[in-house]
Amino acid sequence: YGELKQTINFPPVSLVLMTQALTAKLKQLGTFFKDHKVQLTGWYSFAFVDLGLIIASLGPSLIELAGRTQRKEVGLLFTARSVGYLLASMFSGPLVDNVKNAHALVSTALTFSCIGAILIPFTYNLWFLAVLVTSQGIGMGFLDTAVNVLILRLFPESGFEPYMQTLHFAFGFGAFIAPMVVGYTMGVYDTTPITNVTANVTDLNPTMQLFTPNFGMNISYWILAGALIPPIFALLFYKSPEIVSKETNSSNPSKKKNPLMDVCLILIIATFLLLYVGCEVSFGGFIFTYSVKLKFGGDTESATLNSVFWGALAVGRLIGIPISIKFSPKAMLFWDLVGCLLSTLLMTIFSYSKIVLWIGSTLYGLAMATCFPTAFNFANNFVVVSGTYASVLVIGSSLGEMIIPLTISLLFPVLGYRILMPALLIGAILGSINLALVVWLGSRKIAYGKLNPDDSIQHQDHIELVEVEPGKDSFEVNDLTESTDSTVELDNVQEKDESNKPFIH
């Protein structure tokens, strides 16, 4: 009877406890989302979803744009966008450092991209189209630099790692769904078969004057433009995070001012981002052609392989959010590079294996996922990443996007398409050397900071011996350059051997 009574009474008691626990968790969740920093991180992530959408939407619509402009040279649109991105990266950092309302700058950048997305479907002239794509590149360059700096300002002390990972997961998510949005809408509205345009833009048929525009591309671009509107207005209602002063974290020896070491660290990490972004764009851009040309699959299977890579990249960035709470940026970058080395080595050695290609592409996407945000976090461990320093990092990534894919594409006619995997392996090796340099230089800076623990007195030549009359407890400092009219307590008084007068060292 007792056991039966406990069995009967247990579910209601358990239900009450579960309800109380759920209510407490919901209250905690509500408090969490009311936090100003969390809300701002949400809007920054929204903006980065838009960044991924805009960047990844050009590729799937390239053949449609080639038909509309009646030109073979539509591949130049990627170069035009990269030029705009690079120019914006050069000037956006100093602007972020000197503009009080940085959110107005971010909203302006989003507006540039939004206007471009609205007008591109109406454009049938290649050069005007290049202008619009360049304006989008300028907007994206400003957005990329500014938001990366703002997220570091939002969490100046510590705890920013998962939020930075969330930001770049949002970018990966946008880049993952953009091809599906464009492809789906173009498939729905594709009522006229396009028989006079081949899958390769460089082999476009001269009879393109019979081309019939696909209205689905218009719809997809207007959907993307609509997604840009909410953060444009929402960010204007929030105060921009304050600029982190150079004295921030002065007690942390790794962040003590050392201009030469700071510049060297930023340049080395910028080189790392050059290698990372160049390899990522090269793999994502050439894996389809690599698979088709080497007979690993047809168009559909190769496109699926490409999607697997970008999907693994997005999933890896999602997984990186909780991982960044438990592990340091150095540890995360180490294992990221191990994954990159292992996957590219396997795909290089077993270059004729289809199974290894699929496994390697998935592993490579997962390994590459957290490199970019973690590199920013790693830089912030040693240097206060200002807008100018962030510009240098983004310039490095922009140069990588322009230089490395171009270099690999020039090697294809000479060495064949199998050169792709060895080239990426070399990139992973160089990235590992780069990381080792950052760790070594960072340890040297920490040692330097510990040897020079007091940054408040930078010029000790200005300190003079000040004699004090016996019996006084304090004196007015008038002979120091750094401070005046201050009172210094006598905490280190010694007596002269001859005159028996105390003095301060």
Side-chain angles (χ1 to χ4, degrees):
Y1 174 77
E3 292 178 357
L4 180 62
K5 184 178 179 181
Q6 289 180 4
T7 304
I8 295 173
N9 291 336
F10 178 74
V13 174
S14 176
L15 184 61
V16 170
L17 294 175
M18 289 176 60
T19 304
Q20 292 176 349
L22 181 61
T23 303
K25 290 293 182 182
L26 289 175
K27 288 181 179 179
Q28 292 178 2
L29 194 62
T31 304
F32 176 76
F33 283 111
K34 287 180 181 179
D35 186 83
H36 172 77
K37 293 183 177 181
V38 173
Q39 292 179 7
L40 265 182
T41 303
W43 285 114
Y44 292 158
S45 300
F46 199 144
F48 257 50
V49 170
D50 293 335
L51 181 64
L53 287 171
I54 296 298
I55 285 181
S57 61
L58 182 59
S61 57
L62 199 63
I63 295 177
E64 175 72 18
L65 293 173
R68 295 188 181 197
T69 58
Q70 302 287 296
R71 299 292 294 270
K72 299 178 182 180
E73 300 87 357
V74 286
L76 294 174
L77 296 177
F78 287 106
T79 304
R81 186 177 69 181
S82 297
V83 168
Y85 207 102
L86 181 61
L87 289 174
S89 302
M90 293 171 63
F91 298 106
S92 56
L95 276 176
V96 173
D97 282 341
N98 293 284
V99 173
K100 290 185 178 180
N101 188 5
H103 285 166
L105 186 65
V106 175
S107 296
T108 304
L110 288 167
T111 302
F112 268 87
S113 299
C114 183
I115 292 173
I118 293 172
L119 295 180
I120 282 174
F122 296 106
T123 307
Y124 288 78
N125 180 275
L126 179 61
W127 302 114
F128 185 52
L129 189 62
V131 171
L132 292 176
V133 172
T134 303
S135 70
Q136 281 193 321
I138 292 173
M140 290 185 294
F142 271 100
L143 179 65
D144 193 3
T145 305
V147 174
N148 275 298
V149 174
L150 291 174
I151 200 72
L152 293 177
R153 286 185 189 173
L154 199 59
F155 303 94
E157 296 295 333
S158 61
F160 59 87
E161 290 86 357
Y163 298 99
M164 179 69 81
Q165 297 289 343
T166 302
L167 194 68
H168 288 271
F169 162 70
F171 170 82
F173 178 74
F176 177 66
I177 66 174
M180 294 188 287
V181 172
V182 176
Y184 177 77
T185 53
M186 290 180 67
V188 169
Y189 287 91
D190 187 15
T191 56
T192 304
I194 302 174
T195 58
N196 56 336
V197 179
T198 64
N200 192 339
V201 176
T202 60
D203 299 328
L204 292 175
N205 195 308
T207 61
M208 282 193 301
Q209 60 269 19
L210 302 176
F211 180 84
T212 302
N214 188 327
F215 187 71
M217 196 200 80
N218 299 33
I219 298 296
S220 63
Y221 270 73
W222 295 337
I223 291 173
L224 300 181
L228 289 162
I229 293 175
I232 289 176
F233 294 100
L235 288 174
L236 296 176
F237 292 95
Y238 288 89
K239 182 181 177 181
S240 300
E242 295 180 358
I243 297 175
V244 179
S245 64
K246 293 182 179 180
E247 286 74 24
T248 301
N249 291 325
S250 60
S251 61
N252 185 354
S254 66
K255 286 194 175 184
K256 287 185 178 295
K257 285 183 61 179
N258 190 332
L260 180 59
M261 284 191 177
D262 289 352
V263 171
C264 289
L265 282 165
I266 289 296
L267 289 177
I268 295 172
I269 295 174
T271 306
F272 175 83
L273 292 177
L274 183 150
L275 294 167
Y276 160 74
V277 173
C279 291
E280 178 191 286
V281 172
S282 298
F283 192 92
F286 294 133
I287 189 61
F288 176 88
T289 306
Y290 179 88
S291 176
V292 172
K293 293 293 184 180
L294 298 182
K295 310 298 183 184
F296 285 109
D299 290 353
T300 302
E301 191 173 2
S302 300
T304 304
L305 177 64
N306 200 354
S307 297
V308 165
F309 168 73
W310 290 113
L313 192 79
V315 171
R317 288 186 170 175
L318 179 62
I319 297 173
I321 297 172
I323 290 178
S324 65
I325 301 174
K326 299 293 184 181
F327 295 93
S328 67
K330 183 173 70 174
M332 291 183 66
L333 282 176
F334 173 78
W335 289 111
D336 286 342
L337 288 170
V338 168
C340 292
L341 287 168
L342 180 61
S343 56
T344 52
L345 182 62
L346 287 174
M347 290 187 287
T348 300
I349 296 175
F350 303 100
S351 60
Y352 293 90
S353 173
K354 183 176 179 180
I355 296 176
V356 171
L357 178 62
W358 279 79
I359 295 174
S361 298
T362 305
L363 177 60
Y364 194 60
L366 290 171
M368 296 283 279
T370 60
C371 285
F372 194 98
T374 306
F376 257 87
N377 295 342
F378 199 40
N380 201 58
N381 281 351
F382 301 108
V383 182
V384 177
V385 180
S386 63
T388 303
Y389 283 162
S391 284
V392 175
L393 297 178
V394 177
I395 287 171
S397 64
S398 301
L399 289 175
E401 184 180 0
M402 296 174 64
I403 295 172
I404 294 182
L406 176 62
T407 303
I408 293 177
S409 66
L410 294 175
L411 292 175
F412 284 155
V414 180
L415 301 175
Y417 288 95
R418 293 193 189 276
I419 194 60
L420 176 62
M421 299 308 169
L424 297 176
L425 176 60
I426 293 172
I429 294 172
L430 293 176
S432 302
I433 296 172
N434 194 284
L435 177 62
L437 284 174
V438 173
V439 172
W440 177 80
L441 191 59
S443 64
R444 298 294 298 174
K445 185 181 180 185
I446 293 173
Y448 177 86
K450 289 180 178 178
L451 291 174
N452 299 273
D454 189 4
D455 286 345
S456 61
I457 301 175
Q458 298 179 2
H459 304 287
Q460 298 201 8
D461 293 340
H462 294 165
I463 301 177
E464 301 176 358
L465 296 180
V466 182
E467 294 197 7
V468 183
E469 296 179 6
K472 279 195 174 182
D473 294 329
S474 63
F475 71 100
E476 297 297 321
V477 179
N478 296 316
D479 297 327
L480 299 184
T481 304
E482 295 293 326
S483 60
T484 58
D485 299 332
S486 301
T487 301
V488 179
E489 297 297 330
L490 294 179
D491 57 350
N492 186 19
V493 178
Q494 297 181 359
E495 292 186 356
K496 289 185 178 180
D497 294 334
E498 298 178 357
S499 60
N500 200 31
K501 290 184 178 180
F503 69 98
I504 301 175
H505 287 286

